[in-house]
């Protein structure tokens, strides 16, 4: 039994990562037979992994019809963006009060790494990790990593962010907005925090809408015309 549990966990972890990073696209069908062959596993751990992915809304199962990667819930992603703007505005405001030369240097270091990354060949996932490192620093310093963790658990918001990073790939705009946030921290200027974060966090939606020509509409459910 332990061997099957380990196998199921490995299959679950692998597929979850592939779905979140869009290596497996929304609505892409997956079959037990293909997964059994791919992972050299019996149907029991494969079914366990698929059911666990369904439980966290990454896989949709229609018995005797299909099993496929779930669509990105547009409404859920938008609500998470709204919550993040509200929460991070407060966190960033408190961070600015606390920020010293050492914390500012930490932010500068992350941005330097982003600038260096953009000068060469890199994986979109590497940029995503640096983006997360930049923002999570605010939550870490304000002893609010549990809030950060809860936001990261939104699988639909995560996939929306990855769609922006992996497909649209406007990394320069994201870095320039990080530099504006850093400038606010340096100047201890709080007045434009909500407006800047609203632009920053809604930017992915705008880029997807403006540059995809409707290419990604099929990836969403609860999609509202004119917003993607």
């Amino acid at each position: 039994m332990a061997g099957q549990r380990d196998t199921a966990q490995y299959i679950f972890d692998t597929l979850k990562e592939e779905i979140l990073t869009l290596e497996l696209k929304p609505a892409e069908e997956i079959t037990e037979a293909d997964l059994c062959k791919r992972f050299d596993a019996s149907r029991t751990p494969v079914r366990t992994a698929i059911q666990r992915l369904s439980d966290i809304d990454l896989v949709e199962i229609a018995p005797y019809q299909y099993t496929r990667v779930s669509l990105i819930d547009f409404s859920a992603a938008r609500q998470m963006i709204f919550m993040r703007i509200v929460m991070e505005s407060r966190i960033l405001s408190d961070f600015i009060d606390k920020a010293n030369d050492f914390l500012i240097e930490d932010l500068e270091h992350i941005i330097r790494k982003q600038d260096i990354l953009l000068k060469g060949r890199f994986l979109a996932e590497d940029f995503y990790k640096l983006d997360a490192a930049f923002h999570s620093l605010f939550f870490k310093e304000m002893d609010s990593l549990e809030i950060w963790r809860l936001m990261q658990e939104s699988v639909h918001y995560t996939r929306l962010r990855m769609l922006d990073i992996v497909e649209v790939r406007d990394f320069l705009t994201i870095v320039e907005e990080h530099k504006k946030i850093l400038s606010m921290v340096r100047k201890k200027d709080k007045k434009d925090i909500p407006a800047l974060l609203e632009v920053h966090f809604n930017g992915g939606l705008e880029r997807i809408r403006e540059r995809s020509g409707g290419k990604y509409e099929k990836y969403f459910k609860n999609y509202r015309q004119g917003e993607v």
Side-chain angles (χ1 to χ4, degrees):
M1 290 296 293
Q4 287 194 344
R5 285 198 299 269
D6 291 343
T7 301
Q9 183 67 48
Y10 174 72
I11 296 170
F12 169 81
D13 290 340
T14 302
L15 294 179
K16 180 183 178 183
E17 179 71 13
E18 291 176 352
I19 294 170
L20 290 177
T21 60
L22 300 181
E23 187 174 340
L24 289 174
K25 302 290 193 294
E28 185 172 337
E29 290 199 26
I30 54 179
T31 69
E32 285 186 9
D34 288 342
L35 293 177
C36 288
K37 182 177 180 181
R38 175 185 172 186
F39 292 102
D40 191 22
S42 66
R43 289 185 180 271
T44 298
V46 166
R47 286 174 179 168
T48 298
I50 290 175
Q51 185 58 57
R52 288 181 61 194
L53 291 166
S54 175
D55 291 342
I56 60 173
D57 209 17
L58 284 178
V59 163
E60 178 184 354
I61 302 172
Y64 307 108
Q65 297 181 56
Y66 59 78
T67 299
R68 66 189 181 193
V69 177
S70 66
L71 296 174
I72 300 171
D73 189 324
F74 184 82
S75 177
R78 282 297 298 257
Q79 291 177 58
M80 182 55 64
I81 290 172
F82 176 78
M83 187 182 86
R84 184 166 180 187
I85 291 168
V86 172
M87 295 301 300
E88 194 156 336
S89 291
R90 175 59 186 272
I91 292 289
L92 182 54
S93 177
D94 291 345
F95 178 87
I96 286 175
D97 288 335
K98 180 181 180 179
N100 54 32
D101 290 343
F102 295 105
L103 291 175
I104 291 173
E105 171 58 29
D106 287 340
L107 293 174
E108 290 172 340
H109 180 64
I110 294 170
I111 290 177
R112 283 198 299 270
K113 290 172 73 173
Q114 290 178 325
D115 283 334
I116 291 170
L117 201 68
L118 297 190
K119 293 178 181 177
R121 296 174 61 87
F122 62 95
L123 297 175
E125 290 86 347
D126 295 333
F127 184 88
Y128 182 92
K129 290 176 183 177
L130 287 175
D131 178 79
F134 181 82
H135 289 280
S136 66
L137 182 62
F138 307 140
F139 291 83
K140 176 183 177 183
E141 291 303 322
M142 301 318 302
D143 194 25
S144 298
L145 278 177
E146 183 64 15
I147 297 174
W148 173 259
R149 184 186 65 79
L150 289 171
M151 290 193 300
Q152 302 312 298
E153 288 182 352
S154 173
V155 296
H156 298 292
Y157 177 47
T158 297
R159 288 196 290 166
L160 177 66
R161 291 170 65 199
M162 287 303 298
L163 182 61
D164 178 33
I165 288 174
V166 173
E167 299 289 346
V168 180
R169 301 180 67 84
D170 188 1
F171 306 112
L172 184 59
T173 294
I174 297 172
V175 174
E176 288 303 312
E177 289 171 359
H178 285 173
K179 290 177 180 178
K180 290 179 182 178
I181 293 171
L182 173 60
S183 177
M184 292 172 63
V185 174
R186 284 198 191 107
K187 296 175 182 178
K188 294 192 176 295
D189 179 7
K190 300 182 179 183
K191 66 180 184 298
D192 295 325
I193 289 175
L196 179 53
L197 291 185
E198 185 167 355
V199 169
H200 188 53
F201 295 135
N202 279 309
L205 286 178
E206 292 300 316
R207 287 186 289 271
I208 291 168
R209 177 179 60 81
E210 292 174 358
R211 303 184 188 191
S212 71
K215 176 181 176 182
Y216 301 117
E217 288 181 20
K218 62 186 178 181
Y219 287 172
F220 292 90
K221 66 179 178 180
N222 298 323
Y223 160 72
R224 294 203 294 272
Q225 186 67 33
E227 292 190 89
V228 168

